[in-house]
Amino acid sequence: PVLADSLLLGQVLGSVLANAVEAMSVSGRISVSAERVDKQVHVLIADDGPGIPEEQLGRIFKPFFTTKPKGLGVGLPLAKRIVERFGGSIRVTSQPGRGTTVELRLPVAPEVKT
């Protein structure tokens, strides 16, 4: 278990997955993996879409920045804010023409003893 509100974490995952789906072609692939590393859980969401150009990558967490014709530019900034409120972090790496990976690092929830 991670230290997070399940509804808000669901919103973050939904937003990241929706971005991946929208970026890809019909035959694209998305992979989701998670592993515990010390006191964190690392969640990786990777797609094989077109990627994000380097000049745009530094702006993706800025409110109202979007490359989508009907996008509002609030999904990733809100996701970042939510994850950071949990004490975690979010990082995006991308290679144009090869895809994008979003990494969420979330704190492990303390064990509850009964």
Side-chain angles (χ1 to χ4, degrees), residues 9-54:
L9 183 56
Q11 182 176 347
V12 169
L13 293 171
S15 179
V16 172
L17 286 166
N19 283 346
V21 169
E22 289 174 13
M24 294 185 331
S25 66
V26 174
S27 62
R29 294 178 58 125
I30 298 172
S31 66
V32 179
S33 63
E35 69 175 326
R36 183 174 177 161
V37 179
D38 296 322
K39 294 183 179 185
Q40 292 184 323
V41 173
H42 295 188
V43 179
L44 297 174
I45 301 166
D47 68 61
D48 63 0
I52 303 168
E54 190 173 336

Side-chain angles (χ1 to χ4, degrees), residues 32-80:
V32 179
S33 63
E35 69 175 326
R36 183 174 177 161
V37 179
D38 296 322
K39 294 183 179 185
Q40 292 184 323
V41 173
H42 295 188
V43 179
L44 297 174
I45 301 166
D47 68 61
D48 63 0
I52 303 168
E54 190 173 336
E55 63 273 6
Q56 292 178 352
L57 200 55
R59 298 169 41 201
I60 61 172
F61 291 115
K62 294 194 184 298
F64 309 112
F65 173 77
T66 184
T67 59
K68 300 176 194 173
K70 294 184 180 180
L72 297 175
V74 295
L76 284 177
L78 183 58
K80 183 176 192 283

Side-chain angles (χ1 to χ4, degrees), residues 72-95:
L72 297 175
V74 295
L76 284 177
L78 183 58
K80 183 176 192 283
R81 189 170 186 177
I82 290 169
V83 169
E84 288 176 349
R85 184 171 290 163
F86 297 151
S89 63
I90 184 171
R91 184 172 70 117
V92 177
T93 56
S94 189
Q95 293 181 332

